[in-house]
């Protein structure tokens, strides 16, 4: 990692009280408090997030099975950053998170990923998947960790069990994809 990233990670450890992982006996309320920051970021930066009512039970199951890792960074007794990752084969894969914008900056987002990298190393995993999606700013932030975007665009292979349903799906997908934000709001 670049020296700036290493410096920001050190600052994150100094400027925040601590970080902690939600355990497999965490309550639904503890999980919701960490997820609320993700929802707040979605509202603040105008992107859709799933409601905790829909997603919460699945996250809790992943935590109870030790397949999910939900962490939160605490500063001044408040959650300032949180992130959810899951174990997929031999990798820890970051799925989503949120960070409060504060002045002075606590660099809490760096702490989430640094602790995931540390966790991956401690578990003997070959790497950490920081998942390169997001807005341009989010992707730029993730690139600072030395990550690399890998696109799987061609070729696509399908196993088609029912040709008729597959053709209907192909037509509907193209039409509905244009309206995915509206559809997600209607499904809430």
């Amino acid at each position: 990692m670049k020296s700036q990233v290493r410096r920001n990670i050190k600052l994150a450890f100094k400027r925040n009280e601590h970080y902690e992982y939600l355990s497999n006996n965490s309550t639904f309320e503890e999980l919701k408090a960490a997820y609320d920051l993700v929802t707040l970021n979605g509202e603040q930066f105008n992107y859709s997030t799933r409601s905790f009512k829909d997603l919460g039970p699945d996250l809790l199951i992943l935590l109870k099975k030790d397949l999910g890792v939900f962490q939160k960074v605490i500063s001044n007794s408040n959650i300032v950053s949180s992130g959810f990752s899951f174990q997929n084969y031999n990798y820890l894969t970051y799925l989503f998170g949120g960070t409060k914008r504060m002045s002075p900056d606590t660099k809490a987002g760096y702490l989430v990923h640094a602790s995931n990298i540390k966790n991956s190393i401690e578990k003997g995993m070959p790497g950490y998947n920081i998942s390169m999606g997001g807005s341009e700013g989010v992707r730029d932030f993730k690139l600072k960790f030395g990550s690399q975007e890998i696109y799987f665009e061609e070729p696509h292979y399908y196993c088609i069990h029912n040709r008729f349903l597959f053709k209907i799906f192909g037509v509907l997908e193209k039409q509905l994809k244009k309206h995915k934000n509206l559809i997600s709001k209607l499904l809430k």
Side-chain angles (χ1 to χ4, degrees), residues 85-94 113 116-131:
S85 305
F86 67 97
Q87 294 181 34
N88 184 14
Y89 296 100
N90 288 334
Y91 286 87
L92 189 59
T93 301
Y94 180 77
H113 292 292
N116 273 346
I117 292 168
K118 181 181 175 192
N119 190 4
S120 298
I121 292 169
E122 287 172 351
K123 291 184 176 186
M125 296 177 174
Y128 166 58
N129 181 355
I130 200 166
S131 71

Side-chain angles (χ1 to χ4, degrees), residues 158-170:
Y158 301 97
C159 179
I160 302 170
H161 296 286
N162 184 325
R163 285 194 183 281
F164 177 71
L165 287 178
F166 184 76
K167 288 185 187 237
I168 289 174
F169 169 77

Side-chain angles (χ1 to χ4, degrees), residues 54-91:
D54 295 337
L55 191 59
D58 295 327
L59 298 177
L60 203 54
I61 289 170
L62 287 170
L63 283 175
K64 291 200 181 297
K65 291 183 175 182
D66 287 327
L67 296 173
V69 176
F70 210 149
Q71 59 186 304
K72 57 185 179 178
V73 178
I74 311 293
S75 182
N76 296 324
S77 302
N78 293 313
I79 301 173
V80 294
S81 189
S82 66
F84 183 79
S85 305
F86 67 97
Q87 294 181 34
N88 184 14
Y89 296 100
N90 288 334
Y91 286 87

Side-chain angles (χ1 to χ4, degrees), residues 32-45:
K32 184 177 182 329
Y35 188 77
D36 283 346
L37 195 51
V38 175
T39 307
L40 179 68
N41 270 200
E43 291 167 2
Q44 195 174 22
F45 297 105

